[in-house]
Amino acid sequence: SAGCIAPASAGLSAARAATFKHGGSCDARVSMAEKGFHVRTQSEPYMCLSGGQSELLFTKCDWTDPNQLFTPRNKPGGHEAGSGQQIALGNPDDHQCIDAAGGKAPLGYECYPPSAKNPNQYFIAQEGDPLIWERANGPSTCIDVASSAPQLASCAGTSTGAKRGQRWQRDAARGGTMRLRDPEANLCQ
């Protein structure tokens, strides 16, 4: 379907994918709760990690949403890499855990038995710190909100054509890429 690239509304809090960042520079931090913990961004709009499906997303925080509560399944140090532990999506008796998928992107996946010591399912969760995937071979990596891409919206027409802020012109193309220019503001995206 056709769409326009339009600026997002100021109050828009659409779900955004979870991703890995290296070096502990994550905005999302662990916030302990009575029966587990939440992973929440430190800057507005506040978003929380949500694990109700195989894809982990950051959505608007809701402390009553069981999909935003994570619980350790076993004692720290259950594998060769160090002090991490399996993290269940919701109830520790459920069989979905945060999984690193070999570093591609964090996701919800069937929990391996602790005896398997699968390093893709061992994370470090400490109050106020990023949720860290303790990699067996490589630097530690934290879970954070993926950068947002331009939002596609339905074109809003006026009697004179496209709505202001949705008029774009192709600007200089170089090396297989191009820029879009807003003719009213004379800014490139």
Side-chain angles (χ1 to χ4, degrees):
S1 72
C4 293
I5 297 176
S9 303
L12 185 66
S13 60
R16 296 199 15 217
T19 190
F20 285 123
K21 288 189 180 172
H22 303 291
S25 63
C26 288
D27 180 49
R29 304 292 169 134
V30 171
S31 176
M32 293 301 188
E34 185 178 332
K35 295 183 179 181
F37 63 90
H38 302 273
V39 180
R40 187 193 86 152
T41 60
Q42 299 302 297
S43 56
E44 293 187 34
Y46 299 114
M47 300 178 85
C48 288
L49 186 63
S50 183
Q53 57 222 7
S54 62
E55 181 182 21
L56 296 182
L57 300 171
F58 277 87
T59 59
K60 181 179 178 183
C61 291
D62 177 356
W63 303 124
T64 64
D65 183 351
N67 293 322
Q68 293 183 1
L69 184 67
F70 299 89
T71 51
R73 284 191 85 225
N74 51 11
K75 294 179 181 172
H79 71 113
E80 291 77 20
S83 59
Q85 60 195 121
Q86 285 180 303
I87 306 296
L89 310 180
N91 186 323
D93 296 329
D94 289 347
H95 300 287
Q96 292 287 308
C97 283
I98 298 176
D99 191 287
K104 293 177 187 157
L107 52 85
Y109 195 79
E110 183 177 342
C111 298
Y112 286 93
S115 61
K117 299 182 180 182
N118 185 324
N120 282 313
Q121 292 189 350
Y122 281 81
F123 293 81
I124 300 171
Q126 294 180 345
E127 174 70 35
D129 288 344
L131 181 59
I132 301 288
W133 173 41
E134 196 173 37
R135 298 175 67 145
N137 298 316
S140 292
T141 306
C142 55
I143 295 178
D144 206 9
V145 181
S147 300
S148 64
Q151 299 291 315
L152 288 180
S154 296
C155 296
T158 67
S159 60
T160 59
K163 182 179 173 183
R164 185 175 183 82
Q166 292 185 359
R167 296 181 192 126
W168 297 94
Q169 294 177 341
R170 183 178 172 157
D171 201 55
R174 296 183 190 126
T177 63
M178 70 172 185
R179 296 186 304 180
L180 296 176
R181 185 173 60 83
D182 178 343
E184 283 95 17
N186 202 25
L187 297 172
C188 290
Q189 296 292 325

